[in-house]
Amino acid sequence: MKKRVFAGAAALLMATAMMAQGGKFVMKGTIKNADGEKIYLSYGRAEKAVLDSAVVKKGKFVFKGVMDHPYSNGLLYMGKLEGPASEAKYVHFSLEPTKMTAEIDANEFKKAVIHGGKTQEEENALEASMAADLQKMQELNDAYNEAEGAERETIKAQMEPYSKRMAEARENFIKTHPDSYLSPQYLRYAMSRMNYQELKSIYNGFSDNVKKYGDCQDIVKEINALERVQTGKVAPDFTANDIHGKPFTMSSLKGHVVIIDFWASWCKPCRQSNPHMLELYKKYRAKGLEMVYVSDNDSRPEAWRKAVADDKLTGDGFHHVLRGMKWDRSKGAEGIDHSNDISNQYAIHYLPTKYLIDQQGRIVCKIDEGEDEKLERELERLLGKAEYPFTIKGTVAKAEGKTVMLTYGNREDIKTATTVVKDGAFTFSGVLDNPYASGQIILGEWNRMRGGDACQLALEEGTFTVETVTGKIADAVIKGGKAQDDLNAYNAEIKPIMEPMMALDKQYGNAKTDKQREAISKKMEPFSTKYKQFVHQYMMTHPDSYISAQNLMMEMGDMSYDELKKVYGGFSERVRLYGNTKEIEEELTALGNIQPGAVAPDFTANDINGQSFTFSSLKGKVVILDFWASWCVPCRKSNPHMKALYEKYHDKGLDMVYVSDDDNSEGAWKKAVEKDGLVGEGFHHVLRGLKHTAQGFDKTNDISMKYAIHYLPTKYLIDREGKIVCKINEGEDEKLDQMLAELLK
């Protein structure tokens, strides 16, 4: 008897366990507006999904079957699930081995009411508690789909409090229902917002049945991915073709500090972050920083390449790869291949996301959007401050007690220090915020007009010696650093050209008559030619010299866009980053914007009458854009011809825009306009907009800079579509006449 009771109890326990895992189910449904149509039931993961169908008869349908375990991803639907989600007829529910019911209106399929089974009733109760928020979210979502532009952003912001409350309600359900098959379903949506410890703790708290039958595969994958990218772990390695089509392996950067940045061309916060990343790159590149950019642009590689170029994410230390996700969209979710997906390896859910990697290839930290300070703090800890200390030790005879001044930096940020010669020696020490700075050492009095006793210095991190026995600092021998070695060699090579040029220049300054000055100018011509040839040759053969960048800045006004781009592009990264090349890059940008066929750069400025004038307002007309000044003799000589062209073609659609370099002499500007007769409804006069400040020049509104103006007069011919036809230099009146005749015939 005891034996039979035991056996009966065991059988009951086994049956209960089977019911917890699987068994028979029946779903009886009523449905309006669908007689004679097929309704489908599916459940299970994509690779082993079960699909059944039934015909609706007299507004009813029935599904029966045997399931191996409960499924929280049941789906009832009619028709095809392709096309816009708003038009598809489907409803999700939780299917368990029990009796279930469904009440559906085919015209409002998603509002189906489903009952039966512990999991489904839990979901019904949860959704009932969120009903008001769900209703409001649906209304806002419908409005969002119909809205455009800024209105969408407003609606998106209105959604946030409702979305947040719903997310909190689901996350609370997960934590308080560890034995519900619904919990893994909600956790899959919430886990991207969780850290490793939180996610692991919640998953570990699930019951054994939920872990086994609750569709937890994606959760386990996420936990494993997060575990791989915890602080102190070796960063997951990968190999992918870079933006140039060459294989790149992450682990090849071991020994460097690396920022790995997950981004995309279409990601607005990513693009907004890029200028700061460029600043960090320039700041720490000399100390060993490398940048790896992983882009979510697999389906739009051209947009990726354009964004890299536009945001100037280029240089020897930049490495660009695509994330490596492949997607055959015709197969839907089943067509996604994550086998080479770098973003999956690093558990990426939001863009931008960054990881900081140390010299041993270990993860230091994760950097989310808005954590720039954290990134800079950790970079400084790994690489030290981006500072480059220097010391200058000088010995100078016959100068006891004289003042010695050190100046260095660029024109926008000149730094100075002074000391005196004591016991025939002087010392300077300081810290550069860049690996290189151009400087001067001045002995004794210095006058801005007359100059004084000075020598050039190429400052870098390290110790420099300055020695002179003549009592003149200009005769000093300076040693220390590669840049100074380059400067010493350059000065020695160019000396045979510069000495006679300087002597002739002095004669020119002392000349009394124009005839004398003209004769001296002719003598200077062969030396000037040699100088230009030498400088150009030096730039081409010394791409790793800071002197090349200095020379290019002086010579670029005479170069075409293609020539400048070629010379600058040939420079080493060291020179491009630290050679005070900001003005060269600005010139390249300006020249790139004013090539024939490009839309002429727009600007707005107050005209000569104090009225606001916008250049693009002249679209539909042919325009001559003339850069000139009241004090410019060739400009004034050109004005009668410009006036004649205006009178000939204004009725056919010609307007004249004069941009004057007279910001500091408005009276002279207005007088010249009146005297030269540059008046009429088709004349538009503005100042260039260059402002002088205590710190130097403010070029924020400088129209001349937008058009890369170095010489006056310079003109641009603009067609009716607002596009640049050509540039007209001094003496090219015939070219202008021909182009105008063609445009206005």
Side-chain angles (χ1 to χ4, degrees):
M1 187 71 178
K2 287 182 181 178
K3 234 177 178 181
R4 288 187 180 182
V5 170
F6 179 79
L12 181 62
L13 286 170
M14 287 178 67
T16 303
M18 279 295 293
M19 284 302 295
Q21 297 171 17
K24 295 179 181 179
F25 73 87
V26 176
M27 170 171 275
K28 293 183 177 181
T30 60
I31 183 167
K32 299 177 182 177
N33 305 309
D35 269 4
E37 294 188 42
K38 271 191 176 182
I39 186 168
Y40 297 90
L41 166 69
S42 74
Y43 60 91
R45 292 186 66 83
E47 60 270 18
K48 294 182 179 179
V50 176
L51 178 64
D52 197 359
S53 65
V55 177
V56 178
K57 295 179 180 179
K58 296 182 179 181
K60 296 181 180 180
F61 65 88
V62 177
F63 286 109
K64 296 180 180 180
V66 178
M67 57 200 310
D68 54 350
H69 64 80
Y71 287 91
S72 60
N73 66 343
L75 184 71
L76 284 173
Y77 67 94
M78 296 182 71
K80 294 183 178 181
L81 295 178
E82 300 169 359
S86 59
E87 298 175 9
K89 296 181 178 182
Y90 68 90
V91 64
H92 289 285
F93 71 102
S94 296
L95 182 65
E96 292 184 271
T98 186
K99 293 179 180 180
M100 303 191 73
T101 63
E103 296 177 22
I104 307 171
D105 184 334
N107 295 332
E108 295 183 293
F109 210 99
K110 292 172 188 174
K111 293 183 179 181
V113 177
I114 300 176
H115 287 286
K118 172 177 172 286
T119 308
Q120 184 60 39
E121 296 306 334
E122 288 171 338
E123 185 168 10
N124 290 345
L126 180 60
E127 291 197 356
S129 71
M130 300 187 300
D133 287 339
L134 280 166
Q135 177 65 29
K136 191 64 179 178
M137 278 291 288
Q138 184 59 54
E139 292 172 5
L140 288 170
N141 190 62
D142 291 343
Y144 180 86
N145 290 333
E146 293 178 6
E148 294 181 359
E151 189 181 356
R152 279 194 157 203
E153 293 301 315
T154 302
I155 296 171
K156 194 174 179 182
Q158 292 173 352
M159 288 181 177
E160 287 181 8
Y162 303 103
S163 177
K164 185 179 180 181
R165 279 200 299 270
M166 289 165 59
E168 287 172 349
R170 288 181 179 126
E171 288 179 23
N172 184 60
F173 180 93
I174 294 166
K175 293 172 183 177
T176 56
H177 292 74
D179 195 38
S180 171
Y181 291 111
L182 198 59
S183 291
Q185 179 179 322
Y186 287 152
L187 184 57
R188 287 200 303 276
Y189 294 108
M191 65 187 182
S192 64
R193 298 187 296 273
M194 295 182 177
N195 62 40
Y196 171 64
Q197 296 299 338
E198 184 182 11
L199 179 59
K200 189 174 181 181
S201 175
I202 292 172
Y203 175 73
N204 286 343
F206 285 170
S207 68
D208 290 342
N209 273 345
V210 168
K211 286 180 183 177
K212 190 171 184 180
Y213 304 116
D215 198 13
C216 296
Q217 294 95 321
D218 291 339
I219 299 169
V220 173
K221 285 180 182 178
E222 179 74 3
I223 290 171
N224 292 337
L226 286 172
E227 186 175 12
R228 288 195 299 268
V229 291
Q230 292 304 291
T231 297
K233 294 278 189 178
V234 173
D237 198 15
F238 60 83
T239 296
N241 284 345
D242 68 14
I243 202 165
H244 306 295
K246 296 179 180 178
F248 165 76
T249 300
M250 177 68 185
S251 58
S252 68
L253 299 182
K254 192 172 182 180
H256 295 271
V257 169
V258 180
I259 295 173
I260 179 168
D261 194 331
F262 291 85
W263 76 304
S265 67
W266 43 261
C267 166
K268 189 174 180 179
C270 303
R271 305 294 294 274
Q272 290 173 337
S273 167
N274 284 340
H276 183 237
M277 291 301 103
L278 266 178
E279 288 177 14
L280 291 180
Y281 178 73
K282 183 173 182 178
K283 190 174 181 181
Y284 285 104
R285 174 62 179 154
K287 289 183 174 287
L289 178 64
E290 300 271 339
M291 311 287 281
V292 176
Y293 270 66
V294 180
S295 175
D296 197 353
N297 273 94
D298 293 79
S299 61
R300 299 177 60 197
E302 291 310 311
W304 167 51
R305 295 175 191 280
K306 185 177 187 301
V308 168
D310 289 349
D311 292 2
K312 299 180 180 178
L313 305 176
T314 55
D316 299 342
F318 278 98
H319 311 276
H320 292 279
V321 296
L322 293 168
R323 66 179 284 188
M325 183 182 77
K326 297 178 181 178
W327 188 3
D328 183 346
R329 294 178 184 272
S330 66
K331 297 180 180 178
E334 296 178 46
I336 299 175
D337 178 2
H338 288 290
S339 55
N340 295 306
D341 188 348
I342 303 167
S343 294
N344 255 26
Q345 287 185 259
Y346 282 80
I348 301 300
H349 296 284
Y350 302 103
L351 303 179
T353 297
K354 302 172 178 68
Y355 282 94
L356 183 60
I357 317 296
D358 69 13
Q359 291 91 334
Q360 286 73 46
R362 299 174 303 203
I363 291 174
V364 176
C365 61
K366 180 183 179 184
I367 305 294
D368 292 312
E369 183 184 354
E371 294 188 324
D372 290 350
E373 284 187 20
K374 176 182 174 182
L375 176 57
E376 293 204 41
R377 189 168 61 248
E378 292 295 336
L379 271 176
E380 186 174 313
R381 183 179 65 80
L382 289 170
L383 293 170
K385 288 188 176 181
E387 296 177 340
Y388 305 87
F390 67 86
T391 299
I392 301 170
K393 296 179 179 180
T395 58
V396 52
K398 307 171 188 176
E400 195 68 19
K402 279 191 175 183
T403 299
V404 185
M405 177 182 286
L406 169 68
T407 69
Y408 62 93
N410 56 52
R411 283 185 284 186
E412 297 173 356
D413 185 23
I414 295 290
K415 295 180 174 63
T416 63
T418 58
T419 187
V420 295
V421 178
K422 185 177 180 181
D423 297 330
F426 64 88
T427 302
F428 289 105
S429 61
V431 176
L432 302 172
D433 54 11
N434 273 318
Y436 165 78
S438 177
Q440 270 191 322
I441 298 176
I442 302 164
L443 181 62
E445 181 184 355
W446 176 267
N447 184 283
R448 186 176 178 184
M449 298 300 293
R450 298 193 306 271
D453 184 15
C455 64
Q456 286 179 284
L457 182 68
L459 268 179
E460 294 180 292
E461 183 176 2
T463 301
F464 293 78
T465 60
V466 181
E467 297 180 5
T468 176
V469 295
T470 65
K472 289 188 67 177
I473 205 74
D475 297 330
V477 176
I478 305 176
K479 294 181 180 179
K482 177 187 182 304
Q484 187 63 44
D485 289 344
D486 286 348
L487 181 57
N488 293 341
Y490 179 83
N491 285 338
E493 286 186 59
I494 204 169
K495 187 176 180 180
I497 301 172
M498 291 301 297
E499 282 189 343
M501 278 185 69
M502 295 303 292
L504 288 168
D505 186 65
K506 189 174 181 180
Q507 291 177 28
Y508 187 92
N510 293 329
K512 304 296 183 183
T513 66
D514 288 344
K515 187 175 181 180
Q516 289 174 335
R517 282 188 281 271
E518 187 177 343
I520 295 168
S521 293
K522 286 186 177 180
K523 289 181 181 179
M524 289 183 74
E525 284 178 5
F527 294 104
S528 296
T529 301
K530 285 182 181 179
Y531 172 81
K532 283 188 172 292
Q533 290 172 344
F534 177 85
V535 165
H536 184 79
Q537 183 66 17
Y538 186 91
M539 289 189 295
M540 300 304 291
T541 56
H542 293 76
D544 195 38
S545 171
Y546 292 122
I547 298 167
S548 293
Q550 292 172 0
N551 284 340
L552 184 57
M553 191 165 62
M554 300 299 294
E555 298 296 314
M556 64 186 182
D558 293 321
M559 291 183 173
S560 68
Y561 174 61
D562 290 337
E563 186 179 10
L564 179 59
K565 191 175 181 181
K566 179 181 178 181
V567 175
Y568 182 66
F571 287 170
S572 70
E573 184 183 55
R574 167 178 170 266
V575 170
R576 292 198 307 272
L577 283 179
Y578 306 117
N580 192 19
T581 58
K582 181 182 177 182
E583 290 184 32
I584 301 172
E585 292 180 350
E586 289 174 346
E587 178 82 0
L588 273 169
T589 299
L591 286 173
N593 291 336
I594 55 174
Q595 295 303 293
V599 174
D602 200 13
F603 59 84
T604 297
N606 285 343
D607 68 13
I608 202 165
N609 300 311
Q611 302 297 312
S612 180
F613 167 75
T614 299
F615 184 64
S616 58
S617 68
L618 299 181
K619 191 172 182 180
K621 295 178 179 291
V622 172
V623 179
I624 296 175
L625 177 61
D626 194 330
F627 291 86
W628 75 304
S630 66
W631 43 262
C632 167
V633 175
C635 302
R636 304 293 294 274
K637 286 182 177 179
S638 168
N639 284 341
H641 182 61
M642 292 302 104
K643 187 178 178 183
L645 290 177
Y646 172 79
E647 291 171 352
K648 182 178 181 179
Y649 289 112
H650 177 58
D651 290 343
K652 292 186 176 182
L654 175 65
D655 267 26
M656 314 285 281
V657 177
Y658 271 67
V659 180
S660 174
D661 197 352
D662 275 294
D663 293 79
N664 294 323
S665 50
E666 288 193 30
W669 167 48
K670 293 179 179 180
K671 185 178 178 182
V673 169
E674 193 67 32
K675 186 175 181 179
D676 292 2
L678 306 176
V679 292
E681 64 177 13
F683 279 99
H684 311 275
H685 292 277
V686 296
L687 293 168
R688 67 179 284 188
L690 179 68
K691 294 180 181 178
H692 294 263
T693 69
Q695 290 74 37
F697 293 107
D698 178 1
K699 301 177 182 177
T700 309
N701 298 307
D702 186 355
I703 303 168
S704 293
M705 188 174 174
K706 285 188 175 186
Y707 283 83
I709 302 300
H710 294 279
Y711 301 105
L712 302 179
T714 297
K715 300 174 179 66
Y716 284 92
L717 182 59
I718 317 296
D719 68 15
R720 295 184 190 275
E721 294 179 0
K723 294 180 180 179
I724 292 173
V725 177
C726 63
K727 179 181 180 182
I728 305 295
N729 295 312
E730 182 185 355
E732 294 186 329
D733 289 352
E734 189 176 333
K735 174 181 174 183
L736 176 59
D737 293 352
Q738 290 173 352
M739 291 290 187
L740 265 180
E742 184 66 27
L743 286 172
L744 294 167
K745 62 184 179 182

